């Protein structure tokens, strides 16, 4: 198991609501990436945080936003939830400044939007 | 959008047999990584091969990379029932910042029967 933790494990929300997902990175890692994985699909890159700054973003609308804290943990916020936001949300931590190397994934948060 | 396409989408073999999964990708990459996912949980990193490498081994895993064909293969030898999982290839792609991001394919679902 990696040292990456995510909370909560499962979450049920209704359309239009807002949600915050949390991720604690592995000790010594300063970079957190977030991915969305719809059922039967591969993970899709949402964005990445490196030393508290957004450091790259995938093709997701602005209602997906994030934060990284001084201890390198991170939050993913999604506003105005839509049914299609139902997915497994994965965070991954890695060491920055070394190019794209191995990422260590947490167990994920399963979000269901009704 | 997905970077890679794994082939086959599903594979069913008997314990002890070898399993081969293929991956094709679209754009330039720094490296190609393979991950395993059990039942919609977090991803586990298996192996990373850099763009200047052609073959890499790790235990029962053998990965090849052909950058001219933009393809990779993962071979699992002497498979076990515990190898049953979904396997994803992911291209490590650079973007503007110091970190790149992983671009995943849709995965191959491997079932190993005892």
């Amino acid at each position: 198991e990696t040292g990456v933790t995510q909370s909560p494990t499962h979450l049920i929300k209704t359309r239009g609501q807002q949600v915050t997902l949390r991720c604690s990175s592995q000790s010594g890692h300063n970079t957190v990436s977030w991915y969305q994985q719809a059922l039967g699909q591969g993970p899709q890159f949402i964005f990445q945080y490196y030393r508290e700054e957004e450091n790259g973003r995938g093709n997701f609308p602005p209602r997906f936003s994030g934060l990284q804290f001084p201890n390198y943990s991170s939050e993913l916020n999604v506003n105005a939830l839509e049914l299609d936001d139902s997915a497994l949300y994965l965070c991954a931590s890695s060491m920055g400044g070394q190019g794209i190397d191995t990422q260590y994934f947490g167990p994920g948060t399963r979000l269901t939007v009704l | 959008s997905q970077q890679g396409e794994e082939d086959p989408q599903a594979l069913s073999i008997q314990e002890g047999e070898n399993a081969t999964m293929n991956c094709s990708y679209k754009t330039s990459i720094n490296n190609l990584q393979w991950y395993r996912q059990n039942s919609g949980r977090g991803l586990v990193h298996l192996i990373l091969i850099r763009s200047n490498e052609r073959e890499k081994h790790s235990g029962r895993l053998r990965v090849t990379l052909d950058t001219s064909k933009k393809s990779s293969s993962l071979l699992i030898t002497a498979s076990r029932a515990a190898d049953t999982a979904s396997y994803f290839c992911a291209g490590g792609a650079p973007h503007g910042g110091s970190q790149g991001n992983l671009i995943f394919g849709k995965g191959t679902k491997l079932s190993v029967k005892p």
Side-chain angles (χ1 to χ4, degrees), chain B residues 51-83:
Chain B
S51 58
N52 62 353
E53 296 176 309
R54 291 296 167 259
E55 188 171 313
K56 201 162 183 180
H57 296 253
S58 176
R60 294 185 296 115
L61 306 179
R62 174 178 160 248
V63 168
T64 63
L65 179 64
D66 186 337
T67 52
S68 66
K69 294 181 180 175
K70 290 189 166 60
S71 68
S72 173
S73 69
L74 171 68
L75 169 67
I76 304 174
T77 59
S79 63
R80 306 165 181 166
D83 294 329

PDB file of all heavy atoms in Angstrom, chain B residues 51-83:
ATOM      1  N   SER B  51      11.566   6.621 -22.370  1.00  0.00           N
ATOM      2  CA  SER B  51      11.440   6.667 -23.834  1.00  0.00           C
ATOM      3  C   SER B  51      12.715   6.218 -24.548  1.00  0.00           C
ATOM      4  O   SER B  51      12.664   5.844 -25.716  1.00  0.00           O
ATOM      5  CB  SER B  51      11.040   8.071 -24.295  1.00  0.00           C
ATOM      6  OG  SER B  51      11.992   9.004 -23.857  1.00  0.00           O
ATOM      7  N   ASN B  52      13.855   6.211 -23.841  1.00  0.00           N
ATOM      8  CA  ASN B  52      15.099   5.762 -24.482  1.00  0.00           C
ATOM      9  C   ASN B  52      15.417   4.292 -24.157  1.00  0.00           C
ATOM     10  O   ASN B  52      16.493   3.805 -24.493  1.00  0.00           O
ATOM     11  CB  ASN B  52      16.281   6.648 -24.079  1.00  0.00           C
ATOM     12  CG  ASN B  52      16.540   6.603 -22.585  1.00  0.00           C
ATOM     13  OD1 ASN B  52      15.762   6.018 -21.836  1.00  0.00           O
ATOM     14  ND2 ASN B  52      17.625   7.210 -22.151  1.00  0.00           N
ATOM     15  N   GLU B  53      14.488   3.601 -23.503  1.00  0.00           N
ATOM     16  CA  GLU B  53      14.658   2.185 -23.213  1.00  0.00           C
ATOM     17  C   GLU B  53      13.764   1.362 -24.128  1.00  0.00           C
ATOM     18  O   GLU B  53      12.703   1.826 -24.564  1.00  0.00           O
ATOM     19  CB  GLU B  53      14.297   1.899 -21.742  1.00  0.00           C
ATOM     20  CG  GLU B  53      15.227   2.586 -20.754  1.00  0.00           C
ATOM     21  CD  GLU B  53      14.792   2.377 -19.307  1.00  0.00           C
ATOM     22  OE1 GLU B  53      13.599   2.618 -18.987  1.00  0.00           O
ATOM     23  OE2 GLU B  53      15.657   1.983 -18.496  1.00  0.00           O
ATOM     24  N   ARG B  54      14.133   0.125 -24.364  1.00  0.00           N
ATOM     25  CA  ARG B  54      13.352  -0.733 -25.268  1.00  0.00           C
ATOM     26  C   ARG B  54      12.681  -1.877 -24.518  1.00  0.00           C
ATOM     27  O   ARG B  54      11.628  -2.362 -24.939  1.00  0.00           O
ATOM     28  CB  ARG B  54      14.267  -1.306 -26.366  1.00  0.00           C
ATOM     29  CG  ARG B  54      14.734  -0.251 -27.331  1.00  0.00           C
ATOM     30  CD  ARG B  54      13.566   0.339 -28.113  1.00  0.00           C
ATOM     31  NE  ARG B  54      13.951   1.558 -28.815  1.00  0.00           N
ATOM     32  CZ  ARG B  54      13.645   2.770 -28.358  1.00  0.00           C
ATOM     33  NH1 ARG B  54      12.967   2.944 -27.239  1.00  0.00           N
ATOM     34  NH2 ARG B  54      14.032   3.828 -29.046  1.00  0.00           N
ATOM     35  N   GLU B  55      13.312  -2.306 -23.428  1.00  0.00           N
ATOM     36  CA  GLU B  55      12.766  -3.442 -22.684  1.00  0.00           C
ATOM     37  C   GLU B  55      13.172  -3.304 -21.220  1.00  0.00           C
ATOM     38  O   GLU B  55      14.254  -2.802 -20.904  1.00  0.00           O
ATOM     39  CB  GLU B  55      13.323  -4.744 -23.268  1.00  0.00           C
ATOM     40  CG  GLU B  55      12.702  -6.006 -22.711  1.00  0.00           C
ATOM     41  CD  GLU B  55      13.131  -7.246 -23.476  1.00  0.00           C
ATOM     42  OE1 GLU B  55      13.097  -7.219 -24.719  1.00  0.00           O
ATOM     43  OE2 GLU B  55      13.510  -8.226 -22.819  1.00  0.00           O
ATOM     44  N   LYS B  56      12.258  -3.777 -20.359  1.00  0.00           N
ATOM     45  CA  LYS B  56      12.547  -3.721 -18.927  1.00  0.00           C
ATOM     46  C   LYS B  56      11.876  -4.902 -18.239  1.00  0.00           C
ATOM     47  O   LYS B  56      10.784  -5.310 -18.632  1.00  0.00           O
ATOM     48  CB  LYS B  56      12.035  -2.417 -18.339  1.00  0.00           C
ATOM     49  CG  LYS B  56      12.680  -2.028 -17.034  1.00  0.00           C
ATOM     50  CD  LYS B  56      12.463  -0.560 -16.757  1.00  0.00           C
ATOM     51  CE  LYS B  56      13.168  -0.147 -15.480  1.00  0.00           C
ATOM     52  NZ  LYS B  56      12.978   1.282 -15.199  1.00  0.00           N
ATOM     53  N   HIS B  57      12.525  -5.421 -17.209  1.00  0.00           N
ATOM     54  CA  HIS B  57      11.987  -6.573 -16.483  1.00  0.00           C
ATOM     55  C   HIS B  57      11.840  -6.209 -15.008  1.00  0.00           C
ATOM     56  O   HIS B  57      12.636  -5.464 -14.459  1.00  0.00           O
ATOM     57  CB  HIS B  57      12.945  -7.764 -16.586  1.00  0.00           C
ATOM     58  CG  HIS B  57      13.115  -8.276 -17.974  1.00  0.00           C
ATOM     59  ND1 HIS B  57      12.559  -9.465 -18.399  1.00  0.00           N
ATOM     60  CD2 HIS B  57      13.756  -7.750 -19.045  1.00  0.00           C
ATOM     61  CE1 HIS B  57      12.875  -9.665 -19.666  1.00  0.00           C
ATOM     62  NE2 HIS B  57      13.608  -8.645 -20.086  1.00  0.00           N
ATOM     63  N   SER B  58      10.807  -6.774 -14.405  1.00  0.00           N
ATOM     64  CA  SER B  58      10.652  -6.647 -12.965  1.00  0.00           C
ATOM     65  C   SER B  58       9.910  -7.877 -12.474  1.00  0.00           C
ATOM     66  O   SER B  58       8.709  -8.015 -12.697  1.00  0.00           O
ATOM     67  CB  SER B  58       9.873  -5.381 -12.614  1.00  0.00           C
ATOM     68  OG  SER B  58       9.651  -5.304 -11.214  1.00  0.00           O
ATOM     69  N   GLY B  59      10.623  -8.790 -11.857  1.00  0.00           N
ATOM     70  CA  GLY B  59       9.999 -10.033 -11.386  1.00  0.00           C
ATOM     71  C   GLY B  59       9.380 -10.793 -12.543  1.00  0.00           C
ATOM     72  O   GLY B  59      10.044 -11.109 -13.530  1.00  0.00           O
ATOM     73  N   ARG B  60       8.066 -11.036 -12.468  1.00  0.00           N
ATOM     74  CA  ARG B  60       7.368 -11.763 -13.541  1.00  0.00           C
ATOM     75  C   ARG B  60       6.872 -10.841 -14.654  1.00  0.00           C
ATOM     76  O   ARG B  60       6.176 -11.285 -15.572  1.00  0.00           O
ATOM     77  CB  ARG B  60       6.162 -12.509 -12.945  1.00  0.00           C
ATOM     78  CG  ARG B  60       6.530 -13.640 -11.986  1.00  0.00           C
ATOM     79  CD  ARG B  60       5.299 -14.421 -11.513  1.00  0.00           C
ATOM     80  NE  ARG B  60       4.393 -13.608 -10.727  1.00  0.00           N
ATOM     81  CZ  ARG B  60       3.144 -13.296 -11.104  1.00  0.00           C
ATOM     82  NH1 ARG B  60       2.663 -13.728 -12.261  1.00  0.00           N
ATOM     83  NH2 ARG B  60       2.383 -12.562 -10.308  1.00  0.00           N
ATOM     84  N   LEU B  61       7.226  -9.580 -14.584  1.00  0.00           N
ATOM     85  CA  LEU B  61       6.776  -8.611 -15.576  1.00  0.00           C
ATOM     86  C   LEU B  61       7.877  -8.301 -16.575  1.00  0.00           C
ATOM     87  O   LEU B  61       9.049  -8.169 -16.215  1.00  0.00           O
ATOM     88  CB  LEU B  61       6.362  -7.300 -14.895  1.00  0.00           C
ATOM     89  CG  LEU B  61       5.333  -7.375 -13.791  1.00  0.00           C
ATOM     90  CD1 LEU B  61       5.067  -5.985 -13.234  1.00  0.00           C
ATOM     91  CD2 LEU B  61       4.041  -8.002 -14.273  1.00  0.00           C
ATOM     92  N   ARG B  62       7.460  -8.189 -17.841  1.00  0.00           N
ATOM     93  CA  ARG B  62       8.384  -7.745 -18.880  1.00  0.00           C
ATOM     94  C   ARG B  62       7.646  -6.707 -19.719  1.00  0.00           C
ATOM     95  O   ARG B  62       6.550  -6.958 -20.207  1.00  0.00           O
ATOM     96  CB  ARG B  62       8.834  -8.902 -19.758  1.00  0.00           C
ATOM     97  CG  ARG B  62       9.681  -8.476 -20.945  1.00  0.00           C
ATOM     98  CD  ARG B  62      10.130  -9.686 -21.754  1.00  0.00           C
ATOM     99  NE  ARG B  62      10.516  -9.281 -23.094  1.00  0.00           N
ATOM    100  CZ  ARG B  62       9.848  -9.593 -24.214  1.00  0.00           C
ATOM    101  NH1 ARG B  62       8.778 -10.350 -24.144  1.00  0.00           N
ATOM    102  NH2 ARG B  62      10.262  -9.172 -25.383  1.00  0.00           N
ATOM    103  N   VAL B  63       8.251  -5.548 -19.871  1.00  0.00           N
ATOM    104  CA  VAL B  63       7.646  -4.474 -20.649  1.00  0.00           C
ATOM    105  C   VAL B  63       8.556  -4.143 -21.821  1.00  0.00           C
ATOM    106  O   VAL B  63       9.775  -4.102 -21.675  1.00  0.00           O
ATOM    107  CB  VAL B  63       7.446  -3.219 -19.779  1.00  0.00           C
ATOM    108  CG1 VAL B  63       7.087  -2.022 -20.637  1.00  0.00           C
ATOM    109  CG2 VAL B  63       6.367  -3.449 -18.759  1.00  0.00           C
ATOM    110  N   THR B  64       7.944  -3.917 -22.970  1.00  0.00           N
ATOM    111  CA  THR B  64       8.691  -3.431 -24.122  1.00  0.00           C
ATOM    112  C   THR B  64       8.103  -2.097 -24.557  1.00  0.00           C
ATOM    113  O   THR B  64       6.938  -1.805 -24.296  1.00  0.00           O
ATOM    114  CB  THR B  64       8.625  -4.422 -25.293  1.00  0.00           C
ATOM    115  OG1 THR B  64       7.266  -4.544 -25.708  1.00  0.00           O
ATOM    116  CG2 THR B  64       9.179  -5.791 -24.899  1.00  0.00           C
ATOM    117  N   LEU B  65       8.913  -1.302 -25.207  1.00  0.00           N
ATOM    118  CA  LEU B  65       8.475  -0.010 -25.719  1.00  0.00           C
ATOM    119  C   LEU B  65       9.050   0.203 -27.104  1.00  0.00           C
ATOM    120  O   LEU B  65      10.258   0.033 -27.316  1.00  0.00           O
ATOM    121  CB  LEU B  65       8.940   1.112 -24.787  1.00  0.00           C
ATOM    122  CG  LEU B  65       8.573   2.540 -25.204  1.00  0.00           C
ATOM    123  CD1 LEU B  65       7.049   2.721 -25.200  1.00  0.00           C
ATOM    124  CD2 LEU B  65       9.223   3.558 -24.264  1.00  0.00           C
ATOM    125  N   ASP B  66       8.193   0.541 -28.051  1.00  0.00           N
ATOM    126  CA  ASP B  66       8.613   0.857 -29.414  1.00  0.00           C
ATOM    127  C   ASP B  66       8.115   2.259 -29.721  1.00  0.00           C
ATOM    128  O   ASP B  66       6.957   2.460 -30.067  1.00  0.00           O
ATOM    129  CB  ASP B  66       8.031  -0.167 -30.396  1.00  0.00           C
ATOM    130  CG  ASP B  66       8.550   0.024 -31.813  1.00  0.00           C
ATOM    131  OD1 ASP B  66       8.989   1.147 -32.150  1.00  0.00           O
ATOM    132  OD2 ASP B  66       8.508  -0.948 -32.578  1.00  0.00           O
ATOM    133  N   THR B  67       8.998   3.247 -29.574  1.00  0.00           N
ATOM    134  CA  THR B  67       8.571   4.636 -29.751  1.00  0.00           C
ATOM    135  C   THR B  67       8.267   4.953 -31.217  1.00  0.00           C
ATOM    136  O   THR B  67       7.472   5.850 -31.493  1.00  0.00           O
ATOM    137  CB  THR B  67       9.634   5.608 -29.216  1.00  0.00           C
ATOM    138  OG1 THR B  67      10.905   5.272 -29.797  1.00  0.00           O
ATOM    139  CG2 THR B  67       9.736   5.526 -27.703  1.00  0.00           C
ATOM    140  N   SER B  68       8.870   4.207 -32.144  1.00  0.00           N
ATOM    141  CA  SER B  68       8.589   4.470 -33.566  1.00  0.00           C
ATOM    142  C   SER B  68       7.168   4.067 -33.908  1.00  0.00           C
ATOM    143  O   SER B  68       6.518   4.676 -34.765  1.00  0.00           O
ATOM    144  CB  SER B  68       9.577   3.727 -34.459  1.00  0.00           C
ATOM    145  OG  SER B  68       9.412   2.327 -34.343  1.00  0.00           O
ATOM    146  N   LYS B  69       6.654   3.036 -33.229  1.00  0.00           N
ATOM    147  CA  LYS B  69       5.279   2.580 -33.456  1.00  0.00           C
ATOM    148  C   LYS B  69       4.332   3.124 -32.386  1.00  0.00           C
ATOM    149  O   LYS B  69       3.140   2.840 -32.418  1.00  0.00           O
ATOM    150  CB  LYS B  69       5.217   1.052 -33.452  1.00  0.00           C
ATOM    151  CG  LYS B  69       5.952   0.403 -34.604  1.00  0.00           C
ATOM    152  CD  LYS B  69       5.836  -1.103 -34.551  1.00  0.00           C
ATOM    153  CE  LYS B  69       6.595  -1.725 -35.721  1.00  0.00           C
ATOM    154  NZ  LYS B  69       6.604  -3.200 -35.652  1.00  0.00           N
ATOM    155  N   LYS B  70       4.860   3.864 -31.429  1.00  0.00           N
ATOM    156  CA  LYS B  70       4.066   4.382 -30.310  1.00  0.00           C
ATOM    157  C   LYS B  70       3.280   3.229 -29.678  1.00  0.00           C
ATOM    158  O   LYS B  70       2.047   3.280 -29.561  1.00  0.00           O
ATOM    159  CB  LYS B  70       3.133   5.489 -30.753  1.00  0.00           C
ATOM    160  CG  LYS B  70       3.838   6.799 -31.130  1.00  0.00           C
ATOM    161  CD  LYS B  70       2.823   7.926 -31.338  1.00  0.00           C
ATOM    162  CE  LYS B  70       3.469   9.292 -31.373  1.00  0.00           C
ATOM    163  NZ  LYS B  70       4.459   9.503 -32.413  1.00  0.00           N
ATOM    164  N   SER B  71       4.005   2.207 -29.291  1.00  0.00           N
ATOM    165  CA  SER B  71       3.339   1.056 -28.682  1.00  0.00           C
ATOM    166  C   SER B  71       4.198   0.441 -27.593  1.00  0.00           C
ATOM    167  O   SER B  71       5.424   0.586 -27.578  1.00  0.00           O
ATOM    168  CB  SER B  71       2.994   0.010 -29.741  1.00  0.00           C
ATOM    169  OG  SER B  71       4.187  -0.560 -30.254  1.00  0.00           O
ATOM    170  N   SER B  72       3.520  -0.246 -26.688  1.00  0.00           N
ATOM    171  CA  SER B  72       4.177  -0.932 -25.587  1.00  0.00           C
ATOM    172  C   SER B  72       3.440  -2.232 -25.326  1.00  0.00           C
ATOM    173  O   SER B  72       2.262  -2.369 -25.669  1.00  0.00           O
ATOM    174  CB  SER B  72       4.134  -0.049 -24.331  1.00  0.00           C
ATOM    175  OG  SER B  72       4.630  -0.741 -23.195  1.00  0.00           O
ATOM    176  N   SER B  73       4.131  -3.181 -24.725  1.00  0.00           N
ATOM    177  CA  SER B  73       3.458  -4.413 -24.312  1.00  0.00           C
ATOM    178  C   SER B  73       3.889  -4.770 -22.899  1.00  0.00           C
ATOM    179  O   SER B  73       5.002  -4.470 -22.475  1.00  0.00           O
ATOM    180  CB  SER B  73       3.779  -5.563 -25.270  1.00  0.00           C
ATOM    181  OG  SER B  73       5.138  -5.934 -25.138  1.00  0.00           O
ATOM    182  N   LEU B  74       2.960  -5.391 -22.190  1.00  0.00           N
ATOM    183  CA  LEU B  74       3.223  -5.894 -20.839  1.00  0.00           C
ATOM    184  C   LEU B  74       2.996  -7.396 -20.869  1.00  0.00           C
ATOM    185  O   LEU B  74       1.918  -7.851 -21.263  1.00  0.00           O
ATOM    186  CB  LEU B  74       2.280  -5.243 -19.831  1.00  0.00           C
ATOM    187  CG  LEU B  74       2.294  -5.832 -18.411  1.00  0.00           C
ATOM    188  CD1 LEU B  74       3.617  -5.544 -17.712  1.00  0.00           C
ATOM    189  CD2 LEU B  74       1.133  -5.284 -17.565  1.00  0.00           C
ATOM    190  N   LEU B  75       3.995  -8.138 -20.464  1.00  0.00           N
ATOM    191  CA  LEU B  75       3.904  -9.594 -20.359  1.00  0.00           C
ATOM    192  C   LEU B  75       3.981  -9.976 -18.897  1.00  0.00           C
ATOM    193  O   LEU B  75       4.907  -9.571 -18.190  1.00  0.00           O
ATOM    194  CB  LEU B  75       5.044 -10.258 -21.133  1.00  0.00           C
ATOM    195  CG  LEU B  75       5.253 -11.769 -20.911  1.00  0.00           C
ATOM    196  CD1 LEU B  75       4.081 -12.556 -21.474  1.00  0.00           C
ATOM    197  CD2 LEU B  75       6.569 -12.238 -21.525  1.00  0.00           C
ATOM    198  N   ILE B  76       2.990 -10.733 -18.449  1.00  0.00           N
ATOM    199  CA  ILE B  76       3.017 -11.304 -17.102  1.00  0.00           C
ATOM    200  C   ILE B  76       3.226 -12.801 -17.279  1.00  0.00           C
ATOM    201  O   ILE B  76       2.398 -13.483 -17.903  1.00  0.00           O
ATOM    202  CB  ILE B  76       1.696 -11.049 -16.336  1.00  0.00           C
ATOM    203  CG1 ILE B  76       1.390  -9.565 -16.280  1.00  0.00           C
ATOM    204  CG2 ILE B  76       1.780 -11.642 -14.927  1.00  0.00           C
ATOM    205  CD1 ILE B  76       0.024  -9.242 -15.666  1.00  0.00           C
ATOM    206  N   THR B  77       4.326 -13.317 -16.775  1.00  0.00           N
ATOM    207  CA  THR B  77       4.607 -14.736 -16.931  1.00  0.00           C
ATOM    208  C   THR B  77       4.065 -15.525 -15.741  1.00  0.00           C
ATOM    209  O   THR B  77       3.898 -14.983 -14.638  1.00  0.00           O
ATOM    210  CB  THR B  77       6.111 -14.994 -17.045  1.00  0.00           C
ATOM    211  OG1 THR B  77       6.756 -14.508 -15.853  1.00  0.00           O
ATOM    212  CG2 THR B  77       6.705 -14.288 -18.256  1.00  0.00           C
ATOM    213  N   ALA B  78       3.764 -16.790 -15.990  1.00  0.00           N
ATOM    214  CA  ALA B  78       3.314 -17.705 -14.935  1.00  0.00           C
ATOM    215  C   ALA B  78       2.241 -17.051 -14.075  1.00  0.00           C
ATOM    216  O   ALA B  78       2.394 -16.897 -12.858  1.00  0.00           O
ATOM    217  CB  ALA B  78       4.500 -18.141 -14.082  1.00  0.00           C
ATOM    218  N   SER B  79       1.138 -16.659 -14.705  1.00  0.00           N
ATOM    219  CA  SER B  79       0.105 -15.876 -14.025  1.00  0.00           C
ATOM    220  C   SER B  79      -0.507 -16.635 -12.848  1.00  0.00           C
ATOM    221  O   SER B  79      -0.525 -17.872 -12.806  1.00  0.00           O
ATOM    222  CB  SER B  79      -0.976 -15.465 -15.007  1.00  0.00           C
ATOM    223  OG  SER B  79      -1.614 -16.611 -15.512  1.00  0.00           O
ATOM    224  N   ARG B  80      -1.010 -15.859 -11.909  1.00  0.00           N
ATOM    225  CA  ARG B  80      -1.659 -16.397 -10.708  1.00  0.00           C
ATOM    226  C   ARG B  80      -3.056 -15.796 -10.595  1.00  0.00           C
ATOM    227  O   ARG B  80      -3.314 -14.727 -11.146  1.00  0.00           O
ATOM    228  CB  ARG B  80      -0.854 -16.005  -9.464  1.00  0.00           C
ATOM    229  CG  ARG B  80       0.608 -16.402  -9.523  1.00  0.00           C
ATOM    230  CD  ARG B  80       1.410 -15.692  -8.476  1.00  0.00           C
ATOM    231  NE  ARG B  80       2.828 -16.049  -8.551  1.00  0.00           N
ATOM    232  CZ  ARG B  80       3.810 -15.379  -7.925  1.00  0.00           C
ATOM    233  NH1 ARG B  80       3.517 -14.340  -7.159  1.00  0.00           N
ATOM    234  NH2 ARG B  80       5.057 -15.759  -8.055  1.00  0.00           N
ATOM    235  N   ALA B  81      -3.916 -16.433  -9.842  1.00  0.00           N
ATOM    236  CA  ALA B  81      -5.273 -15.911  -9.661  1.00  0.00           C
ATOM    237  C   ALA B  81      -5.226 -14.492  -9.088  1.00  0.00           C
ATOM    238  O   ALA B  81      -6.063 -13.645  -9.415  1.00  0.00           O
ATOM    239  CB  ALA B  81      -6.072 -16.841  -8.741  1.00  0.00           C
ATOM    240  N   ALA B  82      -4.217 -14.207  -8.260  1.00  0.00           N
ATOM    241  CA  ALA B  82      -4.084 -12.875  -7.655  1.00  0.00           C
ATOM    242  C   ALA B  82      -3.744 -11.792  -8.676  1.00  0.00           C
ATOM    243  O   ALA B  82      -3.822 -10.593  -8.354  1.00  0.00           O
ATOM    244  CB  ALA B  82      -3.018 -12.899  -6.555  1.00  0.00           C
ATOM    245  N   ASP B  83      -3.371 -12.182  -9.890  1.00  0.00           N
ATOM    246  CA  ASP B  83      -3.093 -11.200 -10.939  1.00  0.00           C
ATOM    247  C   ASP B  83      -4.379 -10.671 -11.567  1.00  0.00           C
ATOM    248  O   ASP B  83      -4.332  -9.746 -12.387  1.00  0.00           O
ATOM    249  CB  ASP B  83      -2.214 -11.821 -12.041  1.00  0.00           C
ATOM    250  CG  ASP B  83      -0.827 -12.179 -11.546  1.00  0.00           C
ATOM    251  OD1 ASP B  83      -0.320 -11.494 -10.631  1.00  0.00           O
ATOM    252  OD2 ASP B  83      -0.245 -13.163 -12.071  1.00  0.00           O
TER     253      ASP B  83
END
